[in-house]
Amino acid sequence: MNRELIKKYHAGTITREELGELQRLLTESEAFRREFLLYSQVEVTLAGQVLFHNDMDEAIQTPPTEGMVKEPKPVKIPVYLQKIVFAE
Amino acid sequence: MVWRRGVLFDLSAEIMEVKKRFTALFIACEPAVRSFVQGVVRSVGATEEIMQETAVVLWEKYADATDPDTFRKLLFATAKYKILSWQRDQSRERLLFTDDAISMLADEAMKTQEAAAERQRLLDDAVSGLTVEERQLLWQSFTSSENVKTQALRQGKTPMALYKKLQKIRKKVLDTLEEKREKDS
């Protein structure tokens, strides 16, 4: 049930009453805060890999034009960090 | 290149070193910060925006936060304020967390930052071992508010077939995680 609340919050289907319950659990239980963060981490990982592969599929299906990167590879350093730190 | 006390210094090498240290510190904390931000704002786009704004602030204040502990505190505090600012811009109708709940989540994410970084490495490896179709199925079952029966009907499968497929994928991820953990220990 508690995990369902996290899932509903993430899916945007949570009601006001359920949000109240979710916040109560978050402020009262350290274990629940950890569970909430763990859920987000798995979601972030799956989202990153699914979205990355959707991009890959699109890149594979679209014929490469001159100057296009033909084989995109996963980037270890986040793009926004590269822009900020490594921008000249 | 500049002269310092009679010695010619290569400033670009020094700057590169500073950038490397900053990047290493940021990347070590990134999984925990990102989980915290995404957990609260629930949007990949908003999370990217907040992560970027947070990184800019950190980079600007880095001279005062080169020590890892100070850096970590500044990073989570900045992410928290960026979330609060994002929340203020949202419609009043949206169901959002209170400032207290966000602060407590930020503290928890900071406390468990090292474990989150380690977990991220294992998770990345385990999920990248799945096929594209398996990843899509897992992603749908993880994020969708529909039950397995509804998802199966939409995909033209029987609920039992989808259930078994998902069980198989989850087992594959778990086995990989166990294997990696055993190898590391």
Side-chain angles (χ1 to χ4, degrees):
Chain A
M1 176 57 194
N2 294 348
R3 197 173 283 182
E4 271 308 299
L5 286 177
I6 301 177
K7 198 170 175 179
K8 279 185 164 186
Y9 176 76
H10 277 254
T13 55
I14 199 161
T15 64
R16 198 167 291 279
E17 290 70 32
E18 287 168 337
L19 181 72
E21 176 63 6
L22 179 62
Q23 295 207 90
R24 187 188 65 76
L25 288 164
L26 282 173
T27 48
E28 285 178 5
S29 161
E30 184 177 329
F32 191 73
R33 286 196 290 278
R34 289 189 182 187
E35 175 135 3
F36 181 90
L37 291 167
L38 176 61
Y39 185 98
S40 304
Q41 187 167 16
V42 175
E43 189 187 42
V44 165
T45 308
L46 283 173
Q49 298 218 18
V50 170
L51 295 176
F52 171 73
H53 277 272
N54 285 348
D55 288 349
M56 284 274 283
D57 287 347
E58 206 175 296
I60 289 163
Q61 282 162 21
T62 313
T65 54
E66 204 180 332
M68 232 177 112
V69 180
K70 289 180 189 172
E71 290 178 26
K73 287 179 182 171
V75 179
K76 289 288 177 196
I77 297 174
V79 176
Y80 60 84
L81 261 192
Q82 290 185 19
K83 283 183 190 161
I84 294 162
V85 181
F86 296 106
E88 290 305 318
Chain B
M1 304 281 265
V2 291
W3 285 99
R4 234 184 249 168
R5 293 181 195 155
V7 181
L8 190 60
F9 277 92
D10 183 354
L11 263 187
S12 61
E14 213 169 290
I15 291 166
M16 274 313 290
E17 197 48 46
V18 171
K19 286 177 175 179
K20 266 190 209 169
R21 280 201 298 270
F22 173 85
T23 309
L25 279 173
F26 199 97
I27 286 176
C29 297
E30 209 225 348
V33 182
R34 187 176 283 276
S35 303
F36 161 55
V37 176
Q38 169 80 20
V40 178
V41 306
R42 299 173 288 181
S43 144
V44 175
T47 300
E48 277 307 314
E49 207 174 296
I50 290 171
M51 292 298 290
Q52 185 158 347
E53 287 174 6
T54 302
V56 171
V57 173
L58 260 287
W59 178 239
E60 284 167 358
K61 294 184 176 175
Y62 181 55
D64 300 323
T66 51
D67 158 62
D69 214 37
T70 314
F71 184 90
R72 203 166 25 239
K73 282 178 186 159
L74 180 64
L75 177 54
F76 282 92
T78 307
K80 184 181 87 179
Y81 285 113
K82 291 289 172 193
I83 290 174
L84 292 173
S85 158
W86 174 85
Q87 284 213 145
R88 275 193 294 273
D89 295 339
Q90 301 305 300
S91 154
R92 281 168 191 267
E93 294 305 309
R94 281 198 66 179
L95 296 172
L96 303 165
F97 281 149
T98 60
D99 294 7
D100 276 357
I102 294 173
S103 293
M104 291 181 90
L105 276 172
D107 290 346
E108 198 60 50
M110 188 168 71
K111 267 199 295 184
T112 54
Q113 170 256 316
E114 280 182 20
E118 174 60 12
R119 199 163 46 224
Q120 191 63 57
R121 191 177 64 78
L122 293 170
L123 271 173
D124 280 336
D125 281 354
V127 177
S128 64
L130 299 175
T131 65
V132 174
E133 191 209 351
E134 287 171 336
R135 269 179 223 154
Q136 295 273 13
L137 281 176
L138 199 57
W139 164 249
Q140 278 161 19
S141 81
F142 197 79
T143 54
S144 172
S145 54
E146 296 173 342
N147 59 27
V148 173
K149 194 179 167 187
T150 316
Q151 284 182 45
L153 286 173
R154 200 169 30 78
Q155 293 169 26
K157 295 185 172 94
T158 65
M160 187 49 81
L162 180 59
Y163 182 76
K164 280 187 178 168
K165 181 94 185 163
L166 284 169
Q167 286 292 87
K168 208 173 137 190
I169 298 169
R170 288 189 181 116
K171 188 175 180 317
K172 195 170 166 183
V173 173
L174 275 176
D175 287 349
T176 315
L177 285 173
E178 292 289 318
E179 196 184 309
K180 300 264 174 202
R181 206 177 285 173
E182 267 174 34
K183 260 188 199 168
D184 291 352
S185 61

